[in-house]
Amino acid sequence: MEYDERLANFRQTRLNPFDRGEEEDGLHGGKTPPLRVVSPGAGSATRSHSHFRESKPELFSGTRTHSSDRTMDLGLAEDHFSRPMGSIVASDIEQLKMAIEECKKLILELPEHSERQKDTVVKLIHLRLKLQELKDPEEDEPNLRILLEHRFSKEKSKSVKQTCDKCSTIIWGLIQTWYTCTGCYYRCHSKCMNLITKPCVRSKVSHQSEYQLSICPEIGLDRQDYRCAECRTPISLRGVPTEARQCDYTGQYYCSTCHWNDTAMVPARVIHNWEFESRKVCRSSMRYLALMISRPVLKLKEINPLLFNFVEELVEIRKLRQDILLMKPYFITCKEAMEARLLLQLQDRQHFVENDDMYSLQDLIDISSGRLSCSLTEIHTTFAKHIKLDCERCQAKGFVCELCKEGDILFPFDSHTSVCHDCSAVFHRDCYYDNSTTCPRCARMTDRKQDEEPA
């Protein structure tokens, strides 16, 4: 009773602009009389009330609305004194649900594209946000959580629309806390984290950096016991109880929770068929292929050496890579090249300055599209220009053909030269193959060793 009396006294001394209905008609001198039937003799109160309405026309310009308008105000025109802070009861959620249903009905009844319909839609959005807040109240969550080798980082984005990888529902960043794994980019609600059973794919990449190189190695649903290969949920090709979806990379079948019909290029089809069409893969395979796409783990001359006979672009790229490896000794002994950091032009493809036979899946994709040939040719031209024209130190490391002793300075990466496999001396190609004698430089080195040996 004491709380109700204080609430009544507050309402008598304060005018709430959100209040509508019969209470407003009883205002007198800034006070709200109790609701009762006015007798005929109460003319003075009525006149005073009319005088007050005339003196404050801006407060009573609105007309009385339907009861559905009063329902829409629920949660918007809040009465902060109706209940102590922090006390949430079941009736709040039920009343919000009722108000949401009323808003939805009213939206359908109002004229399309009218201002009132737009306002009602805005109210509906606010009501739904309030309902979600009551169901999933915000709590203090740690910024970093480690689970099953995942390193989950708390996200701060409120506007980006994402989907939870665990429950497959939308993440409402405005009102829900969510996390992303910094390793495999697995996203989930905070409330779903304790339900995660899938380990981080990046750990698999670190421990097993190799591809499945058989094209869709299917084993059949019976070998999987008619269950999802990942979460063991019962599945069937008929969709009862859950649809079975095949991953083109692993060849196994998955449920709709583990397989979202994502697409990716399959390495086995690229290597064996030179086919770059994206195929449907499960979520874990999609993440694994995304993390592996730039790793140079494909040794083509061992996996499919015949590919070089049918794909001319591969032969061109192999020659450019071999030339770059021959240029590398010039750069690592040249002060100007080190200061210019010429080798850093290949920092995205570091394996190009280490060997000429390892490829990543991204390399093969770029070779097929023609991007790699253009970029690598440009880098090759820049490197050759530095050695042959711009740098005197590098020019001094060139060779003169000792067989004909004519022509310009030769370098091992020139297209018309041949290199001795024993001493790395450079000759004109025609001179080297036409001469039936041994390499002059090798002969000198042999004679020198014989002279140095004791008699």
Side-chain angles (χ1 to χ4, degrees):
M1 292 298 295
E2 182 180 356
Y3 176 82
D4 294 338
E5 291 177 0
R6 285 192 297 165
L7 178 60
N9 292 334
F10 176 84
R11 287 177 172 171
Q12 288 176 358
T13 56
R14 298 288 190 276
L15 179 62
N16 188 350
F18 294 98
D19 287 342
R20 298 177 182 176
E22 298 298 331
E23 293 84 347
E24 294 176 350
D25 296 335
L27 289 172
H28 176 69
K31 296 182 180 181
T32 306
L35 294 174
R36 59 187 177 84
V37 179
V38 183
S39 62
S44 60
T46 305
R47 287 192 300 270
S48 300
H49 170 63
S50 301
H51 174 72
F52 183 78
R53 288 178 63 91
E54 294 173 358
S55 61
K56 298 287 185 178
E58 67 277 9
L59 296 179
F60 299 94
S61 58
T63 58
R64 296 182 182 178
T65 58
H66 192 265
S67 60
S68 62
D69 291 337
R70 294 177 55 80
T71 308
M72 285 190 296
D73 287 339
L74 180 60
L76 304 178
E78 296 180 349
D79 186 356
H80 296 282
F81 301 92
S82 59
R83 189 179 294 110
M85 287 290 291
S87 61
I88 300 175
V89 295
S91 60
D92 294 328
I93 296 178
E94 294 300 324
Q95 289 176 1
L96 281 172
K97 289 181 178 179
M98 291 173 58
I100 289 172
E101 293 301 322
E102 290 292 336
C103 275
K104 292 164 68 175
K105 293 178 182 179
L106 186 61
I107 290 173
L108 297 176
E109 296 173 357
L110 292 172
E112 290 190 5
H113 308 298
S114 63
E115 290 298 325
R116 192 177 177 193
Q117 188 188 49
K118 294 178 182 178
D119 294 340
T120 308
V121 170
V122 173
K123 291 182 180 180
L124 176 62
I125 294 172
H126 283 286
L127 287 172
R128 283 180 168 170
L129 290 175
K130 286 184 64 66
L131 178 63
Q132 186 64 37
E133 287 178 359
L134 293 182
K135 288 183 176 181
D136 187 19
E138 184 177 357
E139 300 177 355
D140 293 333
E141 299 282 355
N143 292 327
L144 183 66
R145 297 178 66 175
I146 300 177
L147 179 67
L148 295 177
E149 299 187 7
H150 292 281
R151 291 182 62 85
F152 285 107
S153 176
K154 186 177 180 180
E155 293 290 348
K156 299 180 180 180
S157 175
K158 302 296 184 181
S159 58
V160 179
K161 183 178 179 180
Q162 301 290 352
T163 303
C164 177
D165 285 307
K166 177 59 184 176
C167 64
S168 304
T169 59
I170 296 176
I171 298 175
W172 298 98
L174 187 64
I175 55 177
Q176 291 178 320
T177 304
W178 60 292
Y179 286 82
T180 299
C181 176
T182 57
C184 65
Y185 307 107
Y186 188 97
R187 301 181 183 91
C188 69
H189 296 102
S190 173
K191 60 183 180 182
C192 296
M193 291 193 65
N194 294 330
L195 305 176
I196 295 175
T197 57
K198 302 176 183 177
C200 182
V201 178
R202 182 170 287 276
S203 62
K204 180 182 177 182
V205 173
S206 302
H207 302 150
Q208 183 184 359
S209 296
E210 58 184 19
Y211 286 117
Q212 163 63 254
L213 296 179
S214 298
I215 298 177
C216 194
E218 182 180 358
I219 60 174
L221 271 175
D222 57 336
R223 293 282 297 276
Q224 295 182 206
D225 197 22
Y226 293 91
R227 293 181 179 274
C228 173
E230 192 163 315
C231 67
R232 309 304 296 167
T233 300
I235 55 178
S236 170
L237 292 176
R238 295 183 177 181
V240 180
T242 306
E243 177 188 5
R245 298 178 179 178
Q246 187 180 29
C247 172
D248 195 83
Y249 175 69
T250 63
Q252 296 178 314
Y253 290 88
Y254 299 82
C255 64
S256 57
T257 302
C258 300
H259 194 315
W260 293 7
N261 287 329
D262 299 301
T263 59
M265 292 184 187
V266 181
R269 294 185 180 274
V270 172
I271 294 173
H272 296 296
N273 298 343
W274 201 243
E275 177 188 337
F276 294 89
E277 181 182 353
S278 295
R279 302 282 180 152
K280 293 181 179 179
V281 295
C282 65
R283 296 289 291 176
S284 58
S285 295
M286 184 197 67
R287 293 194 188 91
Y288 181 77
L289 293 174
L291 292 174
M292 286 284 292
I293 193 169
S294 298
R295 288 180 173 254
V297 296
L298 299 172
K299 199 168 186 176
L300 291 185
K301 67 179 183 181
E302 292 184 0
I303 302 172
N304 185 11
L306 294 178
L307 196 60
F308 290 91
N309 297 337
F310 296 95
V311 183
E312 296 179 358
E313 294 86 351
L314 278 175
V315 179
E316 179 187 357
I317 295 298
R318 182 174 61 181
K319 180 61 171 68
L320 291 173
R321 292 182 62 177
Q322 290 172 348
D323 289 348
I324 289 174
L325 288 178
L326 294 173
M327 296 176 185
K328 180 180 177 181
Y330 289 86
F331 294 145
I332 61 178
T333 57
C334 176
K335 182 179 179 181
E336 294 181 6
M338 296 299 290
E339 291 177 352
R341 298 185 177 183
L342 292 178
L343 289 176
L344 286 182
Q345 296 185 31
L346 288 170
Q347 61 181 346
D348 294 334
R349 304 182 197 267
Q350 189 66 31
H351 53 287
F352 279 17
V353 295
E354 296 173 356
N355 56 72
D356 63 349
D357 56 355
M358 300 300 293
Y359 293 83
S360 68
L361 183 60
Q362 187 64 56
D363 293 338
L364 302 182
I365 294 172
D366 293 340
I367 290 173
S368 175
S369 64
R371 289 193 298 268
L372 182 57
S373 178
C374 294
S375 61
L376 200 59
T377 300
E378 184 178 349
I379 293 174
H380 182 279
T381 303
T382 303
F383 287 0
K385 181 175 178 292
H386 170 84
I387 296 173
K388 301 177 71 172
L389 299 176
D390 297 342
C391 181
E392 294 182 357
R393 292 187 180 91
C394 293
Q395 290 179 32
K397 297 173 185 176
F399 294 82
V400 175
C401 180
E402 296 187 37
L403 297 176
C404 68
K405 298 181 180 180
E406 296 178 358
D408 299 330
I409 298 176
L410 304 180
F411 294 92
F413 50 84
D414 288 334
S415 59
H416 60 285
T417 60
S418 293
V419 180
C420 177
H421 297 291
D422 296 326
C423 66
S424 300
V426 182
F427 307 93
H428 291 114
R429 180 174 298 173
D430 295 337
C431 298
Y432 186 74
Y433 287 107
D434 291 343
N435 193 293
S436 58
T437 61
T438 59
C439 170
R441 188 179 183 187
C442 291
R444 288 198 307 272
M445 294 173 64
T446 302
D447 295 339
R448 188 179 299 124
K449 287 183 180 178
Q450 291 177 354
D451 294 341
E452 291 176 355
E453 291 179 358

